[in-house]
Amino acid sequence: MSKNNKPNPLWGGHFSSGPAEIMEKINASIDFDKKMYAQDIKGSVAHCQMLAKVGILTESEAEQITNGLQEIQQEMAAGDFEFSTELEDIHMNIESRLKEKIGDVAGKLHTGRSRNDQVATDFKLWVRDAIDYIDDDLRELQAVLLQRAEEYYDVVMPGFTHLQTAQPVTFGHHVMAYVEMVGRDRGRLQDARKRLNQCPLGAAALAGTSFPIDRHKTAESLGFDMPTANSLDTVSDRDFAIEFVSSLSVLAVHLSRLAEEIVLWVSDGFKFVTLSNAFTTGSSIMPQKRNPDAAELVRSKTGRINGSLITLLTVMKGLPLAYSKDMQEDKEPVFDAAENILLCIRATAGMVGDMTVNKDAMKERAMGGFSTATDIADWCVQNLGIPFRQCHAITGKIVRLAEEKNCRLDELSLEDMQSVEAGITKDIYRVLSVENSVASRISYGGTAPENVKQQIVAARKEYL
């Protein structure tokens, strides 16, 4: 196996020769951690300014370093920076380039810190930024959902349990369920953001530093609430990454559930909605097909995002304090999960906005399956003073009678119903229409159209 006989200059004088070629490949992280270049430079600038404030750097040195870092950031943003695998990671690539630009003074930047606390800081900054832009997209998704809920607040559709027709609901109410789910997802991400918002810089390798640094100043400069409290925990903690991807996994499950419903709704068995060519694909041999591929891919990416969570949990399992190289494997699953959840959010928002709702198909399906059976039981309780369990049994007999006659409940004659319960009057037909059924569900959080209107107003106030 070939070896690199040239020692890595950033490892110091202990190593007289370089690593084996395969060691260099497995050890390098620059191919993926270069995503954090903006966060790395931001942290270095804050660290540099703090070192100048406490007198470790002169103002002139701090100015040279800051200007050099800003120039490097411009190079990277423009795609003009040449990354080196030999320099392992984003930190060494930036430090080496800084030395090329300003000379030996660049080496003073690393005073009072280690790559261990540096990468923790970069990673926290990256995750914090990711939470913010994901939240923006989730807000947009809620806005689209709320718009559709408002358009169809009173359109009747079947509500299901066990995917069997249960009771009629409104399409607006159904859509509002996802507004609530996404609201919880946003809350989870904000909770994660609050917990991660402590600054690792200055914890150094694992034990802190003997230099008179001001960690509170660095934390403030970077928008953290405070510095982390324990240097060992600081460099070995990846709870924030696990919690972030855990929150994304729950979000992905919610998006997958909506995607599954879209797949069902556009199918020939439902025909509740149609999607345009913008979010469907055709078949290579069946010209009539319009496949809901966007929804299916949103559904499938849940496995990929959940896999990222399992990867993180497995990487961190059993690691002794403090830092171990295992933790280099923490970033790719986080980057991948964040990238794919954004695709899912945007595709979902696109599909929801694109859907054409087939009101007639929804109503027709809502009228089937004896969906107003519960309304008969409720009517008997309210008008005959019979306990609900007895009314439940009465309704069951009426449903069986309708099955035998192969008709809907509202198509039974009054005599048919009175053959089961003599006290039933013609007033019962008032509750058997699906429109009246949904209108009667006036309890807080219920499907009554007027309730849905109020829910939409409240949700806009809370989330948008």
PDB file of all heavy atoms in Angstrom, residues 117 120-121 124-125 128 192-201 215 218-220 222-230 233-234 237 240:
ATOM      1  N   ASP A 117     -13.902  21.880  19.263  1.00  0.00           N
ATOM      2  CA  ASP A 117     -14.944  22.863  19.562  1.00  0.00           C
ATOM      3  C   ASP A 117     -15.304  23.664  18.323  1.00  0.00           C
ATOM      4  O   ASP A 117     -16.440  24.145  18.177  1.00  0.00           O
ATOM      5  CB  ASP A 117     -14.544  23.785  20.717  1.00  0.00           C
ATOM      6  CG  ASP A 117     -13.279  24.581  20.462  1.00  0.00           C
ATOM      7  OD1 ASP A 117     -12.412  24.100  19.722  1.00  0.00           O
ATOM      8  OD2 ASP A 117     -13.154  25.690  21.025  1.00  0.00           O
ATOM      9  N   ALA A 120     -17.876  21.617  16.342  1.00  0.00           N
ATOM     10  CA  ALA A 120     -19.157  21.629  17.055  1.00  0.00           C
ATOM     11  C   ALA A 120     -19.875  22.955  16.839  1.00  0.00           C
ATOM     12  O   ALA A 120     -21.102  23.000  16.660  1.00  0.00           O
ATOM     13  CB  ALA A 120     -18.939  21.374  18.543  1.00  0.00           C
ATOM     14  N   THR A 121     -19.098  24.040  16.833  1.00  0.00           N
ATOM     15  CA  THR A 121     -19.682  25.359  16.599  1.00  0.00           C
ATOM     16  C   THR A 121     -20.213  25.476  15.173  1.00  0.00           C
ATOM     17  O   THR A 121     -21.343  25.929  14.951  1.00  0.00           O
ATOM     18  CB  THR A 121     -18.644  26.463  16.864  1.00  0.00           C
ATOM     19  OG1 THR A 121     -18.152  26.334  18.196  1.00  0.00           O
ATOM     20  CG2 THR A 121     -19.252  27.843  16.670  1.00  0.00           C
ATOM     21  N   LYS A 124     -23.364  23.375  14.810  1.00  0.00           N
ATOM     22  CA  LYS A 124     -24.523  23.989  15.453  1.00  0.00           C
ATOM     23  C   LYS A 124     -25.040  25.173  14.641  1.00  0.00           C
ATOM     24  O   LYS A 124     -26.251  25.354  14.471  1.00  0.00           O
ATOM     25  CB  LYS A 124     -24.174  24.451  16.871  1.00  0.00           C
ATOM     26  CG  LYS A 124     -24.241  23.356  17.917  1.00  0.00           C
ATOM     27  CD  LYS A 124     -24.216  23.944  19.318  1.00  0.00           C
ATOM     28  CE  LYS A 124     -24.473  22.871  20.371  1.00  0.00           C
ATOM     29  NZ  LYS A 124     -24.587  23.439  21.737  1.00  0.00           N
ATOM     30  N   LEU A 125     -24.121  25.988  14.141  1.00  0.00           N
ATOM     31  CA  LEU A 125     -24.537  27.122  13.313  1.00  0.00           C
ATOM     32  C   LEU A 125     -25.256  26.642  12.057  1.00  0.00           C
ATOM     33  O   LEU A 125     -26.264  27.233  11.639  1.00  0.00           O
ATOM     34  CB  LEU A 125     -23.323  27.972  12.936  1.00  0.00           C
ATOM     35  CG  LEU A 125     -22.673  28.790  14.052  1.00  0.00           C
ATOM     36  CD1 LEU A 125     -21.370  29.419  13.568  1.00  0.00           C
ATOM     37  CD2 LEU A 125     -23.621  29.879  14.553  1.00  0.00           C
ATOM     38  N   ARG A 128     -28.692  25.316  13.031  1.00  0.00           N
ATOM     39  CA  ARG A 128     -29.550  26.456  13.383  1.00  0.00           C
ATOM     40  C   ARG A 128     -30.054  27.162  12.122  1.00  0.00           C
ATOM     41  O   ARG A 128     -31.236  27.497  12.014  1.00  0.00           O
ATOM     42  CB  ARG A 128     -28.775  27.438  14.272  1.00  0.00           C
ATOM     43  CG  ARG A 128     -29.648  28.474  14.950  1.00  0.00           C
ATOM     44  CD  ARG A 128     -28.822  29.328  15.897  1.00  0.00           C
ATOM     45  NE  ARG A 128     -27.912  30.231  15.176  1.00  0.00           N
ATOM     46  CZ  ARG A 128     -27.062  31.059  15.776  1.00  0.00           C
ATOM     47  NH1 ARG A 128     -26.974  31.069  17.102  1.00  0.00           N
ATOM     48  NH2 ARG A 128     -26.291  31.853  15.062  1.00  0.00           N
ATOM     49  N   ALA A 192     -35.888  22.367  19.442  1.00  0.00           N
ATOM     50  CA  ALA A 192     -34.528  21.891  19.187  1.00  0.00           C
ATOM     51  C   ALA A 192     -33.573  23.071  19.026  1.00  0.00           C
ATOM     52  O   ALA A 192     -32.439  23.046  19.514  1.00  0.00           O
ATOM     53  CB  ALA A 192     -34.503  21.009  17.942  1.00  0.00           C
ATOM     54  N   ARG A 193     -34.019  24.099  18.334  1.00  0.00           N
ATOM     55  CA  ARG A 193     -33.181  25.286  18.134  1.00  0.00           C
ATOM     56  C   ARG A 193     -32.841  25.948  19.465  1.00  0.00           C
ATOM     57  O   ARG A 193     -31.714  26.390  19.693  1.00  0.00           O
ATOM     58  CB  ARG A 193     -33.909  26.279  17.223  1.00  0.00           C
ATOM     59  CG  ARG A 193     -33.031  27.430  16.727  1.00  0.00           C
ATOM     60  CD  ARG A 193     -33.867  28.481  16.012  1.00  0.00           C
ATOM     61  NE  ARG A 193     -33.070  29.417  15.261  1.00  0.00           N
ATOM     62  CZ  ARG A 193     -32.361  30.425  15.782  1.00  0.00           C
ATOM     63  NH1 ARG A 193     -32.346  30.610  17.099  1.00  0.00           N
ATOM     64  NH2 ARG A 193     -31.667  31.243  15.011  1.00  0.00           N
ATOM     65  N   LYS A 194     -33.827  26.023  20.333  1.00  0.00           N
ATOM     66  CA  LYS A 194     -33.591  26.649  21.633  1.00  0.00           C
ATOM     67  C   LYS A 194     -32.554  25.871  22.437  1.00  0.00           C
ATOM     68  O   LYS A 194     -31.670  26.453  23.068  1.00  0.00           O
ATOM     69  CB  LYS A 194     -34.906  26.725  22.415  1.00  0.00           C
ATOM     70  CG  LYS A 194     -34.789  27.398  23.773  1.00  0.00           C
ATOM     71  CD  LYS A 194     -36.139  27.483  24.468  1.00  0.00           C
ATOM     72  CE  LYS A 194     -36.006  28.159  25.823  1.00  0.00           C
ATOM     73  NZ  LYS A 194     -37.325  28.251  26.521  1.00  0.00           N
ATOM     74  N   ARG A 195     -32.629  24.543  22.398  1.00  0.00           N
ATOM     75  CA  ARG A 195     -31.694  23.734  23.172  1.00  0.00           C
ATOM     76  C   ARG A 195     -30.285  23.768  22.608  1.00  0.00           C
ATOM     77  O   ARG A 195     -29.309  23.684  23.346  1.00  0.00           O
ATOM     78  CB  ARG A 195     -32.186  22.282  23.264  1.00  0.00           C
ATOM     79  CG  ARG A 195     -32.977  21.995  24.524  1.00  0.00           C
ATOM     80  CD  ARG A 195     -33.374  20.537  24.610  1.00  0.00           C
ATOM     81  NE  ARG A 195     -34.362  20.204  23.604  1.00  0.00           N
ATOM     82  CZ  ARG A 195     -35.666  20.459  23.719  1.00  0.00           C
ATOM     83  NH1 ARG A 195     -36.121  21.071  24.796  1.00  0.00           N
ATOM     84  NH2 ARG A 195     -36.501  20.129  22.751  1.00  0.00           N
ATOM     85  N   LEU A 196     -30.168  23.870  21.283  1.00  0.00           N
ATOM     86  CA  LEU A 196     -28.814  23.853  20.701  1.00  0.00           C
ATOM     87  C   LEU A 196     -28.106  25.191  20.812  1.00  0.00           C
ATOM     88  O   LEU A 196     -26.901  25.275  20.564  1.00  0.00           O
ATOM     89  CB  LEU A 196     -28.870  23.407  19.233  1.00  0.00           C
ATOM     90  CG  LEU A 196     -29.395  24.350  18.148  1.00  0.00           C
ATOM     91  CD1 LEU A 196     -28.412  25.426  17.715  1.00  0.00           C
ATOM     92  CD2 LEU A 196     -29.811  23.534  16.923  1.00  0.00           C
ATOM     93  N   ASN A 197     -28.825  26.240  21.207  1.00  0.00           N
ATOM     94  CA  ASN A 197     -28.285  27.589  21.076  1.00  0.00           C
ATOM     95  C   ASN A 197     -27.336  27.976  22.216  1.00  0.00           C
ATOM     96  O   ASN A 197     -27.491  29.018  22.870  1.00  0.00           O
ATOM     97  CB  ASN A 197     -29.422  28.608  20.952  1.00  0.00           C
ATOM     98  CG  ASN A 197     -29.017  29.811  20.133  1.00  0.00           C
ATOM     99  OD1 ASN A 197     -28.258  29.690  19.180  1.00  0.00           O
ATOM    100  ND2 ASN A 197     -29.504  30.976  20.517  1.00  0.00           N
ATOM    101  N   GLN A 198     -26.363  27.110  22.452  1.00  0.00           N
ATOM    102  CA  GLN A 198     -25.264  27.393  23.375  1.00  0.00           C
ATOM    103  C   GLN A 198     -23.951  27.208  22.620  1.00  0.00           C
ATOM    104  O   GLN A 198     -23.800  26.256  21.861  1.00  0.00           O
ATOM    105  CB  GLN A 198     -25.313  26.471  24.600  1.00  0.00           C
ATOM    106  CG  GLN A 198     -26.574  26.676  25.444  1.00  0.00           C
ATOM    107  CD  GLN A 198     -26.600  25.778  26.664  1.00  0.00           C
ATOM    108  OE1 GLN A 198     -25.660  25.022  26.915  1.00  0.00           O
ATOM    109  NE2 GLN A 198     -27.672  25.847  27.437  1.00  0.00           N
ATOM    110  N   CYS A 199     -23.021  28.101  22.828  1.00  0.00           N
ATOM    111  CA  CYS A 199     -21.831  28.183  21.983  1.00  0.00           C
ATOM    112  C   CYS A 199     -20.698  27.277  22.460  1.00  0.00           C
ATOM    113  O   CYS A 199     -20.238  27.398  23.608  1.00  0.00           O
ATOM    114  CB  CYS A 199     -21.335  29.625  21.936  1.00  0.00           C
ATOM    115  SG  CYS A 199     -19.939  29.874  20.816  1.00  0.00           S
ATOM    116  N   PRO A 200     -20.196  26.396  21.597  1.00  0.00           N
ATOM    117  CA  PRO A 200     -19.087  25.509  21.979  1.00  0.00           C
ATOM    118  C   PRO A 200     -17.706  26.167  21.956  1.00  0.00           C
ATOM    119  O   PRO A 200     -16.780  25.656  22.607  1.00  0.00           O
ATOM    120  CB  PRO A 200     -19.143  24.401  20.915  1.00  0.00           C
ATOM    121  CG  PRO A 200     -20.490  24.510  20.284  1.00  0.00           C
ATOM    122  CD  PRO A 200     -20.821  25.963  20.330  1.00  0.00           C
ATOM    123  N   LEU A 201     -17.528  27.240  21.214  1.00  0.00           N
ATOM    124  CA  LEU A 201     -16.185  27.802  21.031  1.00  0.00           C
ATOM    125  C   LEU A 201     -15.524  28.133  22.364  1.00  0.00           C
ATOM    126  O   LEU A 201     -16.128  28.765  23.238  1.00  0.00           O
ATOM    127  CB  LEU A 201     -16.238  29.062  20.161  1.00  0.00           C
ATOM    128  CG  LEU A 201     -15.960  28.891  18.667  1.00  0.00           C
ATOM    129  CD1 LEU A 201     -15.951  30.245  17.980  1.00  0.00           C
ATOM    130  CD2 LEU A 201     -14.661  28.147  18.403  1.00  0.00           C
ATOM    131  N   ARG A 215     -15.564  33.626  26.487  1.00  0.00           N
ATOM    132  CA  ARG A 215     -16.507  32.776  25.763  1.00  0.00           C
ATOM    133  C   ARG A 215     -17.883  33.423  25.658  1.00  0.00           C
ATOM    134  O   ARG A 215     -18.634  33.168  24.704  1.00  0.00           O
ATOM    135  CB  ARG A 215     -16.618  31.398  26.427  1.00  0.00           C
ATOM    136  CG  ARG A 215     -15.333  30.575  26.345  1.00  0.00           C
ATOM    137  CD  ARG A 215     -15.590  29.146  26.798  1.00  0.00           C
ATOM    138  NE  ARG A 215     -16.535  28.477  25.910  1.00  0.00           N
ATOM    139  CZ  ARG A 215     -17.372  27.523  26.291  1.00  0.00           C
ATOM    140  NH1 ARG A 215     -17.387  27.108  27.552  1.00  0.00           N
ATOM    141  NH2 ARG A 215     -18.193  26.963  25.424  1.00  0.00           N
ATOM    142  N   THR A 218     -17.831  35.617  22.560  1.00  0.00           N
ATOM    143  CA  THR A 218     -17.951  34.836  21.328  1.00  0.00           C
ATOM    144  C   THR A 218     -19.376  34.345  21.139  1.00  0.00           C
ATOM    145  O   THR A 218     -19.927  34.413  20.035  1.00  0.00           O
ATOM    146  CB  THR A 218     -16.995  33.631  21.368  1.00  0.00           C
ATOM    147  OG1 THR A 218     -15.691  34.067  21.752  1.00  0.00           O
ATOM    148  CG2 THR A 218     -16.922  32.952  20.017  1.00  0.00           C
ATOM    149  N   ALA A 219     -19.977  33.859  22.205  1.00  0.00           N
ATOM    150  CA  ALA A 219     -21.361  33.379  22.120  1.00  0.00           C
ATOM    151  C   ALA A 219     -22.295  34.492  21.665  1.00  0.00           C
ATOM    152  O   ALA A 219     -23.150  34.301  20.784  1.00  0.00           O
ATOM    153  CB  ALA A 219     -21.804  32.829  23.473  1.00  0.00           C
ATOM    154  N   GLU A 220     -22.119  35.662  22.242  1.00  0.00           N
ATOM    155  CA  GLU A 220     -22.969  36.795  21.874  1.00  0.00           C
ATOM    156  C   GLU A 220     -22.770  37.178  20.407  1.00  0.00           C
ATOM    157  O   GLU A 220     -23.737  37.446  19.684  1.00  0.00           O
ATOM    158  CB  GLU A 220     -22.642  37.991  22.775  1.00  0.00           C
ATOM    159  CG  GLU A 220     -23.487  39.226  22.500  1.00  0.00           C
ATOM    160  CD  GLU A 220     -23.122  40.403  23.382  1.00  0.00           C
ATOM    161  OE1 GLU A 220     -22.221  40.256  24.236  1.00  0.00           O
ATOM    162  OE2 GLU A 220     -23.721  41.483  23.200  1.00  0.00           O
ATOM    163  N   LEU A 222     -22.007  35.372  17.938  1.00  0.00           N
ATOM    164  CA  LEU A 222     -22.554  34.368  17.030  1.00  0.00           C
ATOM    165  C   LEU A 222     -24.057  34.142  17.225  1.00  0.00           C
ATOM    166  O   LEU A 222     -24.631  33.238  16.601  1.00  0.00           O
ATOM    167  CB  LEU A 222     -21.800  33.045  17.195  1.00  0.00           C
ATOM    168  CG  LEU A 222     -20.336  33.082  16.744  1.00  0.00           C
ATOM    169  CD1 LEU A 222     -19.620  31.792  17.145  1.00  0.00           C
ATOM    170  CD2 LEU A 222     -20.249  33.297  15.238  1.00  0.00           C
ATOM    171  N   GLY A 223     -24.675  34.926  18.088  1.00  0.00           N
ATOM    172  CA  GLY A 223     -26.108  34.813  18.272  1.00  0.00           C
ATOM    173  C   GLY A 223     -26.539  33.668  19.153  1.00  0.00           C
ATOM    174  O   GLY A 223     -27.719  33.274  19.146  1.00  0.00           O
ATOM    175  N   PHE A 224     -25.616  33.112  19.940  1.00  0.00           N
ATOM    176  CA  PHE A 224     -25.973  32.074  20.907  1.00  0.00           C
ATOM    177  C   PHE A 224     -26.466  32.727  22.195  1.00  0.00           C
ATOM    178  O   PHE A 224     -26.117  33.869  22.506  1.00  0.00           O
ATOM    179  CB  PHE A 224     -24.768  31.187  21.216  1.00  0.00           C
ATOM    180  CG  PHE A 224     -24.377  30.259  20.094  1.00  0.00           C
ATOM    181  CD1 PHE A 224     -23.264  30.518  19.307  1.00  0.00           C
ATOM    182  CD2 PHE A 224     -25.121  29.115  19.830  1.00  0.00           C
ATOM    183  CE1 PHE A 224     -22.895  29.663  18.282  1.00  0.00           C
ATOM    184  CE2 PHE A 224     -24.764  28.255  18.807  1.00  0.00           C
ATOM    185  CZ  PHE A 224     -23.645  28.523  18.026  1.00  0.00           C
ATOM    186  N   ASP A 225     -27.245  31.995  22.956  1.00  0.00           N
ATOM    187  CA  ASP A 225     -27.758  32.521  24.217  1.00  0.00           C
ATOM    188  C   ASP A 225     -26.685  32.584  25.290  1.00  0.00           C
ATOM    189  O   ASP A 225     -26.716  33.459  26.157  1.00  0.00           O
ATOM    190  CB  ASP A 225     -28.926  31.654  24.720  1.00  0.00           C
ATOM    191  CG  ASP A 225     -30.118  31.700  23.778  1.00  0.00           C
ATOM    192  OD1 ASP A 225     -30.320  32.756  23.137  1.00  0.00           O
ATOM    193  OD2 ASP A 225     -30.841  30.693  23.671  1.00  0.00           O
ATOM    194  N   MET A 226     -25.746  31.633  25.227  1.00  0.00           N
ATOM    195  CA  MET A 226     -24.711  31.536  26.256  1.00  0.00           C
ATOM    196  C   MET A 226     -23.671  30.532  25.782  1.00  0.00           C
ATOM    197  O   MET A 226     -23.927  29.778  24.843  1.00  0.00           O
ATOM    198  CB  MET A 226     -25.299  31.068  27.590  1.00  0.00           C
ATOM    199  CG  MET A 226     -25.877  29.665  27.539  1.00  0.00           C
ATOM    200  SD  MET A 226     -26.755  29.183  29.039  1.00  0.00           S
ATOM    201  CE  MET A 226     -28.256  30.162  28.843  1.00  0.00           C
ATOM    202  N   PRO A 227     -22.496  30.480  26.423  1.00  0.00           N
ATOM    203  CA  PRO A 227     -21.553  29.401  26.110  1.00  0.00           C
ATOM    204  C   PRO A 227     -21.985  28.104  26.780  1.00  0.00           C
ATOM    205  O   PRO A 227     -22.730  28.113  27.760  1.00  0.00           O
ATOM    206  CB  PRO A 227     -20.231  29.914  26.682  1.00  0.00           C
ATOM    207  CG  PRO A 227     -20.596  30.923  27.712  1.00  0.00           C
ATOM    208  CD  PRO A 227     -21.933  31.478  27.356  1.00  0.00           C
ATOM    209  N   THR A 228     -21.533  26.986  26.236  1.00  0.00           N
ATOM    210  CA  THR A 228     -21.798  25.696  26.863  1.00  0.00           C
ATOM    211  C   THR A 228     -21.085  25.619  28.215  1.00  0.00           C
ATOM    212  O   THR A 228     -20.072  26.276  28.441  1.00  0.00           O
ATOM    213  CB  THR A 228     -21.304  24.554  25.961  1.00  0.00           C
ATOM    214  OG1 THR A 228     -19.936  24.809  25.609  1.00  0.00           O
ATOM    215  CG2 THR A 228     -22.137  24.452  24.702  1.00  0.00           C
ATOM    216  N   ALA A 229     -21.608  24.792  29.109  1.00  0.00           N
ATOM    217  CA  ALA A 229     -21.169  24.824  30.502  1.00  0.00           C
ATOM    218  C   ALA A 229     -20.072  23.825  30.838  1.00  0.00           C
ATOM    219  O   ALA A 229     -19.387  23.992  31.849  1.00  0.00           O
ATOM    220  CB  ALA A 229     -22.371  24.579  31.425  1.00  0.00           C
ATOM    221  N   ASN A 230     -19.897  22.781  30.033  1.00  0.00           N
ATOM    222  CA  ASN A 230     -18.937  21.742  30.366  1.00  0.00           C
ATOM    223  C   ASN A 230     -18.135  21.395  29.116  1.00  0.00           C
ATOM    224  O   ASN A 230     -18.697  20.992  28.103  1.00  0.00           O
ATOM    225  CB  ASN A 230     -19.658  20.493  30.902  1.00  0.00           C
ATOM    226  CG  ASN A 230     -18.711  19.394  31.304  1.00  0.00           C
ATOM    227  OD1 ASN A 230     -18.185  18.676  30.458  1.00  0.00           O
ATOM    228  ND2 ASN A 230     -18.484  19.233  32.602  1.00  0.00           N
ATOM    229  N   ASP A 233     -18.501  17.733  27.684  1.00  0.00           N
ATOM    230  CA  ASP A 233     -19.793  17.548  27.014  1.00  0.00           C
ATOM    231  C   ASP A 233     -19.836  18.329  25.715  1.00  0.00           C
ATOM    232  O   ASP A 233     -20.384  17.856  24.708  1.00  0.00           O
ATOM    233  CB  ASP A 233     -20.918  18.009  27.942  1.00  0.00           C
ATOM    234  CG  ASP A 233     -22.279  17.935  27.285  1.00  0.00           C
ATOM    235  OD1 ASP A 233     -22.676  16.836  26.856  1.00  0.00           O
ATOM    236  OD2 ASP A 233     -22.944  18.989  27.186  1.00  0.00           O
ATOM    237  N   THR A 234     -19.240  19.502  25.709  1.00  0.00           N
ATOM    238  CA  THR A 234     -19.301  20.383  24.546  1.00  0.00           C
ATOM    239  C   THR A 234     -18.789  19.712  23.289  1.00  0.00           C
ATOM    240  O   THR A 234     -19.439  19.739  22.235  1.00  0.00           O
ATOM    241  CB  THR A 234     -18.496  21.664  24.808  1.00  0.00           C
ATOM    242  OG1 THR A 234     -19.071  22.367  25.906  1.00  0.00           O
ATOM    243  CG2 THR A 234     -18.470  22.560  23.586  1.00  0.00           C
ATOM    244  N   ASP A 237     -20.868  16.291  22.342  1.00  0.00           N
ATOM    245  CA  ASP A 237     -22.328  16.355  22.204  1.00  0.00           C
ATOM    246  C   ASP A 237     -22.751  16.440  20.745  1.00  0.00           C
ATOM    247  O   ASP A 237     -22.257  17.300  20.005  1.00  0.00           O
ATOM    248  CB  ASP A 237     -22.857  17.581  22.959  1.00  0.00           C
ATOM    249  CG  ASP A 237     -24.289  17.925  22.564  1.00  0.00           C
ATOM    250  OD1 ASP A 237     -25.094  16.983  22.474  1.00  0.00           O
ATOM    251  OD2 ASP A 237     -24.584  19.115  22.330  1.00  0.00           O
ATOM    252  N   PHE A 240     -27.919  17.808  19.513  1.00  0.00           N
ATOM    253  CA  PHE A 240     -28.614  18.781  18.668  1.00  0.00           C
ATOM    254  C   PHE A 240     -28.839  18.232  17.267  1.00  0.00           C
ATOM    255  O   PHE A 240     -29.885  18.476  16.645  1.00  0.00           O
ATOM    256  CB  PHE A 240     -27.834  20.096  18.621  1.00  0.00           C
ATOM    257  CG  PHE A 240     -26.467  20.005  17.987  1.00  0.00           C
ATOM    258  CD1 PHE A 240     -26.286  20.241  16.635  1.00  0.00           C
ATOM    259  CD2 PHE A 240     -25.353  19.678  18.759  1.00  0.00           C
ATOM    260  CE1 PHE A 240     -25.026  20.155  16.055  1.00  0.00           C
ATOM    261  CE2 PHE A 240     -24.093  19.598  18.186  1.00  0.00           C
ATOM    262  CZ  PHE A 240     -23.927  19.825  16.825  1.00  0.00           C
TER     263      PHE A 240
END
